[in-house]
Amino acid sequence: MMKRLSYFIIVLIFSTQFLLAQNNSNSHQRLEHQAPNKEFHMINLNLNLHFNLIKKEVLGVATETIVPLRENYNTVHLEASDMKIDKIEFDNAIVPFKYDGKILSIELGKNYGLYDTLIYSITYSTTPSKGIFFVLPDSAYPKRTPQLWSQSESEDAHYWYPCHDYPDDFGTSSLTATVPQNWVVVSNGLLKKETTDKKDKTKTFTWVEDKPHVVYLNSIVAGEFKIVKDKWDDVPIYYYVLPKYAKNAKENFSHTPDILKYFSEVTGHHYEWQKLSLSTVTNFTEGGMENVSAITLTDNTLHSLNAEPQITSTDLVSHETAHQWFGDLLTCRSWANAWLNEGFATFFEALYGKHAFGNDHFNFEMTKDHDQVINADKFERRPTVWNGYKSPEDVFGVYIYPRGASILNMMREMLGDDLFFKAIKYYVKKFQFHNVDTHDFTDAVREATGENLDWFYSEWLYKGGHPVYDVNYNYDEANHKLILNVDQTQKVDSLTPVYKMPVNIYIATAGQKINKMIWVDSLKNSYSFDLTEKPVMVNFDEGHSLLAEINFKKSADELSYQLKNDPDVSGRVWAAKQLSMQDEKDAVPSLIKSAKNDKFWGVREACINALGMFHSAGVRDELIAAVNDKDKRVDVDAINQLANFKNDKNISGLLKKTFDDEKNYFIRAAAITSLASVDSTNAIPYIDKAFKINSHQETVRAAALQALIKVDPKKGFIEAQKYLQYGQPDPLRIRALVSLAMSKDNKEKSLQLIRESLTDSYWIVRLIAVNELGRLGNQSDIITLNNVAKNANNNFILRAAEKSVKMIEAREGKDKTL
């Protein structure tokens, strides 16, 4: 499962996670969440589904084939939320059952044993609050294309069919669905049958997945889709998209065949499933979901060339496709081990990026992963293998995605590529079609490589936090020795240890380049290196493979040399950021040179942002020049930094021309927001033009709203109210609510609109409303927020509501003491 919706939503979600974690640094000490007992093995699940679209109702027959895991077995217990059970048939008879709205108990009539195969059929109906979602046109969105889709991870399958809803069992499945005749249905496996009933104006599709998989990977997507075909090797590939996106699908998903080829090679296991489909759906609750052979993606990922390179589908597709091995072919036995799904998919996504786009891309992405974890650790430290959760969704965050990927990358660095990928291939071969836990993986690594890495697993998988290294060096010119001092300064306690880690050191002199590996294993460490002359660059953790904070104070001259000469892209980015804190006269010349000349866009971007800390005429001229960088991501950053130069006619003219001439949506959005800062008096005509531009996820209109609020708060407030209304595009509604919440005027009206948004049909709007009510609300809002938490069908909203109540209680209590 991947939560990549849009950049704004990613920030919102992870910000929410950080907020929820504040003052909760010992959350790893919660009572352990144990996996449930399993009373049977499900051999096969067969679903036959009809739908009442008006009522948003599922009418189904679930036929399940099981084998008991205990003797004297006479009652089957299944999870089944909020269903109407019509009848249950077993052994050619209707049998009694008990049902309390959550657990369905089927009475078999006699005892069965370990070698009996039991088949029962449940006829039921439900209007699900989770599991299956209906996206249909209404009076506010009359042009919305109708569709329905499932999302069962982590434990939401039992909202749309009765089952043992836990990822500890592998079985085959089939699905038959009857839908309107202009719809198509896609599910797991191969399409075995398609029939049309002209009288009822319906079509019936039967899909069969004859290879075993866990329950949450069963899926259905149905609606008015266009099918675009592709292929790799003997694997057919299908892209299911709304008709309006059909022209972009092949290009957006162009890497898919190569992704299958690459992962088949590096895992040593040819893509297992009979086909691969990518179905893009509206208002998906995730960025993507790795259902076996039938990936579901948000349709936000589909885009035109005018949204590139800022928007790409390749990372999302590679992540979800990696899951077809890690998560589908091998699936975590419990949610405590979910990093075996998500950490692996995140890392293999990065590996594919390395394969497709080069080593600089890989290092840049891994550094961003490190930064996410380090920032999260400021609010909460948590082990990667963790069962202290309240709900399984609590696990799905920074500590299993980027932290898991970082752990695998550190292992790769220690073992080397040959041994690491040997271990991966052995692990995949040994555990295909099986549940796995972390010990299975670590044992496989040892069996394949002979390496005992228990010390590493103890530090990184079963403990939390990360090392903080304070580094400095002295050069003894008389004896030609460099003394490197390394202190570990992280908070050491029962959760975070003194780390034992190998570290790559890179030392450059005018005539030497030295690569050494040292072991850092104490709070205070010192190392000696023989040199022929004074170093010009000393790097600690060359290659930036460590998940660590490194405090290494260097002079402006050293940083300038590193920015120009460091072979590692992450080191150059770091040097640029460090130079932003130096004196302007020492930093700017080097930053300007690298902003022009560095080969990697991420370094040029870092230089532009560092230059934004200075406001001289020379910097201004360089930022203007950078608007024409060869990478449009750098252009955007340059335009954003130009916002610092108020009342500059030349910059105003440049921003207006850029807005008029550019096709890239993100450049146009940046131009309009910067223009509002530079030339607010003359910005209104361009803001008005921006409101008329259609763009990917309303990027330009959202920028226009932000700009209008800046130059004319009263008019901006009125526009924000308009765009908040149900019926407006969802990205604009999100931006409008955030803008209203941040407004310094009309606070009471804003608060009223926030409260009204608590019941909005779009979960992101509800999430923002819950967060903002915690920040702005009062004692009277606590009952409302408690009700939101009680009725939430979304874990982000549940946790946000709980946190908002605590925020109000803390604020109100503080006010009473003043």
Side-chain angles (χ1 to χ4, degrees):
M1 178 166 55
M2 187 64 181
K3 294 179 173 66
R4 292 192 173 186
L5 304 175
S6 69
Y7 176 76
F8 173 75
I9 294 174
I10 292 169
V11 171
L12 171 69
I13 288 174
F14 283 116
S15 297
T16 301
Q17 289 182 325
F18 295 161
L19 284 171
L20 303 185
Q22 289 188 50
N23 303 316
N24 195 26
S25 60
N26 293 320
S27 66
H28 64 286
Q29 297 177 354
R30 294 175 186 159
L31 292 176
E32 293 182 353
H33 193 112
Q34 299 293 345
N37 292 328
K38 183 172 67 170
E39 63 185 48
F40 59 80
H41 161 52
M42 183 176 286
I43 296 174
N44 178 262
L45 166 71
N46 176 279
L47 293 174
N48 193 322
L49 305 177
H50 291 70
F51 305 96
N52 185 323
L53 298 181
I54 295 174
K55 294 182 178 180
K56 297 184 178 180
E57 182 181 31
V58 179
L59 303 102
V61 178
T63 301
E64 302 178 353
T65 304
I66 68 170
V67 174
L69 295 177
R70 60 198 62 180
E71 291 287 3
N72 302 316
Y73 187 70
N74 54 37
T75 305
V76 180
H77 299 96
L78 301 170
E79 294 168 76
S81 283
D82 303 322
M83 294 184 180
K84 179 179 180 293
I85 308 298
D86 295 320
K87 65 178 180 178
I88 300 176
E89 296 177 78
F90 171 69
D91 199 18
N92 297 315
I94 295 176
V95 297
F97 62 88
K98 296 178 181 177
Y99 181 57
D100 63 3
K102 293 183 179 179
I103 301 297
L104 174 63
S105 301
I106 305 172
E107 299 176 12
L108 302 177
K110 69 176 187 178
N111 291 335
Y112 292 89
L114 300 174
Y115 302 102
D116 291 315
T117 299
L118 313 177
I119 303 174
Y120 52 82
S121 294
I122 306 163
T123 302
Y124 67 97
S125 60
T126 182
T127 305
S129 59
K130 299 181 183 182
I132 279 188
F133 298 82
F134 294 80
V135 180
L136 303 171
D138 57 23
S139 59
Y141 296 98
K143 295 183 180 180
R144 178 182 281 162
T145 304
Q147 58 189 245
L148 63 87
W149 42 263
S150 64
Q151 172 54 33
S152 297
E153 191 180 23
S154 54
E155 296 176 13
D156 290 347
H158 68 279
Y159 285 88
W160 62 291
Y161 61 91
C163 62
H164 168 69
D165 201 355
Y166 201 74
D168 58 357
D169 200 8
F170 272 66
T172 58
S173 66
S174 59
L175 181 144
T176 299
T178 300
V179 296
Q181 65 181 359
N182 59 332
W183 285 30
V184 296
V185 173
V186 59
S187 187
N188 314 98
L190 291 178
L191 180 62
K192 293 295 187 178
K193 189 176 181 181
E194 178 182 337
T195 60
T196 300
D197 187 325
K198 294 182 179 179
K199 181 179 178 181
D200 290 343
K201 297 182 179 179
T202 61
K203 271 190 178 180
T204 299
F205 298 78
T206 297
W207 290 84
V208 176
E209 178 52 79
D210 60 9
K211 298 185 179 184
H213 53 278
V214 298
V215 68
Y216 71 78
L217 295 172
N218 293 313
S219 72
I220 180 173
V221 171
E224 298 178 14
F225 292 104
K226 174 79 172 176
I227 305 173
V228 179
K229 296 181 180 181
D230 207 341
K231 188 178 181 180
W232 170 71
D233 198 21
D234 60 347
V235 180
I237 303 171
Y238 305 99
Y239 310 131
Y240 289 76
V241 298
L242 297 184
K244 65 181 179 180
Y245 295 130
K247 64 182 182 296
N248 296 326
K250 200 77 171 278
E251 186 171 350
N252 288 174
F253 299 145
S254 61
H255 282 268
T256 306
D258 189 52
I259 290 169
L260 288 176
K261 179 176 183 289
Y262 175 73
F263 289 153
S264 293
E265 291 172 351
V266 296
T267 63
H269 191 104
H270 187 278
Y271 177 76
E272 183 65 41
W273 315 102
Q274 303 95 324
K275 64 103 172 47
L276 177 66
S277 61
L278 307 180
S279 301
T280 59
V281 302
T282 302
N283 288 350
F284 195 44
T285 53
E286 315 295 339
M289 180 62 211
E290 64 270 17
N291 306 306
V292 165
S293 78
I295 291 170
T296 309
L297 304 173
T298 171
D299 60 12
N300 294 346
T301 194
L302 295 166
H303 60 276
S304 71
L305 288 173
N306 292 334
E308 294 181 354
Q310 292 90 344
I311 300 297
T312 174
S313 298
T314 301
D315 291 346
L316 179 57
V317 172
S318 63
H319 181 102
E320 302 307 332
T321 305
H323 273 309
Q324 301 297 306
W325 285 263
F326 306 106
D328 293 9
L329 187 62
L330 301 81
T331 308
C332 64
R333 191 185 312 277
S334 69
W335 301 120
N337 293 277
W339 85 281
L340 294 171
N341 294 8
E342 299 300 347
F344 275 68
T346 304
F347 182 56
F348 276 76
E349 169 195 336
L351 284 176
Y352 179 75
K354 180 180 181 181
H355 162 77
F357 308 116
N359 198 57
D360 283 351
H361 174 92
F362 174 79
N363 287 342
F364 189 67
E365 292 300 312
M366 291 307 304
T367 298
K368 290 195 293 186
D369 281 349
H370 293 173
D371 290 345
Q372 284 188 57
V373 181
I374 289 167
N375 288 332
D377 279 347
K378 294 175 183 177
F379 299 96
E380 177 185 23
R381 291 173 296 147
R382 183 194 297 175
T384 303
V385 181
W386 181 68
N387 62 358
Y389 56 88
K390 291 182 180 179
S391 168
E393 283 75 17
D394 295 340
V395 174
F396 288 86
V398 173
Y399 300 100
I400 66 169
Y401 287 83
R403 182 179 170 93
S406 298
I407 289 168
L408 290 169
N409 193 42
M410 289 188 287
M411 289 180 63
R412 185 182 70 93
E413 185 67 26
M414 287 189 297
L415 293 170
D417 278 358
D418 289 344
L419 281 183
F420 177 80
F421 286 108
K422 179 186 177 185
I424 291 296
K425 291 173 182 177
Y426 178 80
Y427 171 60
V428 170
K429 183 177 181 179
K430 181 175 182 179
F431 292 106
Q432 58 183 300
F433 299 115
H434 281 82
N435 286 116
V436 287
D437 59 27
T438 298
H439 292 295
D440 292 323
F441 171 63
T442 58
D443 288 348
V445 173
R446 187 166 187 174
E447 290 167 12
T449 68
E451 294 290 333
N452 182 350
L453 300 179
D454 288 350
W455 58 271
F456 175 83
Y457 306 138
S458 175
E459 291 179 352
W460 290 103
L461 293 173
Y462 301 106
K463 293 185 179 293
H466 59 271
V468 180
Y469 298 115
D470 286 0
V471 183
N472 64 75
Y473 74 89
N474 296 297
Y475 178 65
D476 181 347
E477 197 158 359
N479 295 305
H480 300 290
K481 283 189 178 294
L482 183 147
I483 306 300
L484 183 71
N485 301 305
V486 183
D487 294 345
Q488 292 192 50
T489 60
Q490 70 274 9
K491 179 184 178 182
V492 176
D493 54 22
S494 61
L495 182 60
T496 303
V498 176
Y499 287 86
K500 169 189 175 181
M501 286 300 294
V503 181
N504 293 319
I505 305 299
Y506 177 73
I507 302 171
T509 70
Q512 282 181 295
K513 288 182 174 58
I514 301 171
N515 288 284
K516 294 283 187 180
M517 191 270 283
I518 62 173
W519 282 88
V520 180
D521 55 10
S522 302
L523 287 175
K524 291 188 174 294
N525 308 267
S526 187
Y527 310 87
S528 176
F529 301 89
D530 293 324
L531 302 179
T532 57
E533 56 189 326
K534 184 178 180 179
V536 291
M537 182 166 64
V538 178
N539 285 353
F540 180 86
D541 184 29
E542 177 66 9
H544 284 73
S545 63
L546 291 181
L547 173 53
E549 283 183 80
I550 300 172
N551 302 312
F552 195 168
K553 189 173 182 180
K554 296 185 178 183
S555 68
D557 286 343
E558 289 175 295
L559 292 170
S560 295
Y561 184 91
Q562 182 172 353
L563 178 59
K564 180 180 179 182
N565 297 288
D566 195 330
D568 177 52
V569 65
S570 300
R572 302 200 301 277
V573 169
W574 179 84
K577 292 177 179 178
Q578 295 297 308
L579 279 167
S580 73
M581 295 178 276
Q582 299 284 328
D583 288 341
E584 182 171 348
K585 62 180 176 60
D586 298 322
V588 165
S590 297
L591 289 169
I592 288 177
K593 287 180 182 178
S594 290
K596 292 178 179 177
N597 301 322
D598 197 279
K599 64 179 182 178
F600 186 68
W601 73 268
V603 178
R604 300 196 303 277
E605 177 187 61
C607 291
I608 291 300
N609 288 327
L611 285 168
M613 302 300 294
F614 310 107
H615 302 136
S616 66
V619 167
R620 166 190 173 278
D621 293 342
E622 177 53 34
L623 293 175
I624 289 174
V627 172
N628 293 313
D629 189 89
K630 57 189 174 183
D631 191 292
K632 294 183 182 300
R633 289 166 289 195
V634 180
D635 294 349
V636 168
D637 283 280
I639 291 168
N640 288 337
Q641 296 302 335
L642 287 173
N644 295 316
F645 295 87
K646 313 294 183 185
N647 303 315
D648 188 307
K649 292 183 178 179
N650 289 332
I651 291 176
S652 174
L654 172 65
L655 294 173
K656 292 173 183 176
K657 186 176 188 304
T658 299
F659 178 83
D660 285 335
D661 294 349
E662 256 294 341
K663 300 299 183 184
N664 183 274
Y665 299 134
F666 294 88
I667 291 177
R668 301 188 84 177
I672 206 66
T673 52
S674 287
L675 182 62
S677 295
V678 172
D679 189 3
S680 59
T681 305
N682 297 303
I684 289 292
Y686 284 85
I687 293 172
D688 290 341
K689 280 199 280 187
F691 273 120
K692 298 174 183 177
I693 294 174
N694 296 322
S695 61
H696 179 76
Q697 290 299 293
E698 299 292 345
T699 299
V700 178
R701 282 196 188 94
L705 180 59
Q706 181 181 345
L708 181 60
I709 289 170
K710 185 175 184 65
V711 302
D712 189 342
K714 184 176 180 179
K715 186 177 179 182
F717 190 88
I718 294 170
E719 287 296 298
Q721 289 183 78
K722 181 182 82 173
Y723 284 119
L724 177 60
Q725 297 304 306
Y726 184 73
Q728 295 289 344
D730 286 328
L732 273 181
R733 300 183 69 225
I734 292 169
R735 172 55 60 191
L737 185 56
V738 171
S739 298
L740 290 168
M742 299 302 294
S743 174
K744 297 179 181 179
D745 303 317
N746 302 301
K747 290 185 178 180
E748 284 304 314
K749 179 62 176 176
S750 294
L751 196 53
Q752 177 189 337
L753 292 168
I754 290 168
R755 289 173 177 138
E756 291 173 359
S757 297
L758 291 173
T759 58
D760 196 88
S761 63
Y762 187 38
W763 74 274
I764 296 291
V765 172
R766 296 199 305 277
L767 177 61
I768 296 170
V770 168
N771 281 332
E772 295 302 336
L773 197 57
R775 188 173 66 87
L776 302 171
N778 54 48
Q779 189 75 30
S780 66
D781 295 306
I782 289 178
I783 294 176
T784 302
L785 287 167
N786 281 330
N787 286 331
V788 169
K790 180 180 178 181
N791 298 313
N793 66 350
N794 179 295
N795 194 63
F796 283 116
I797 293 174
L798 169 62
R799 298 289 173 253
E802 292 173 344
K803 182 61 183 178
S804 288
V805 168
K806 292 179 181 179
M807 290 173 66
I808 293 173
E809 288 177 339
R811 187 167 60 248
E812 294 284 322
K814 182 178 180 181
D815 290 344
K816 289 178 181 178
T817 62
L818 295 178

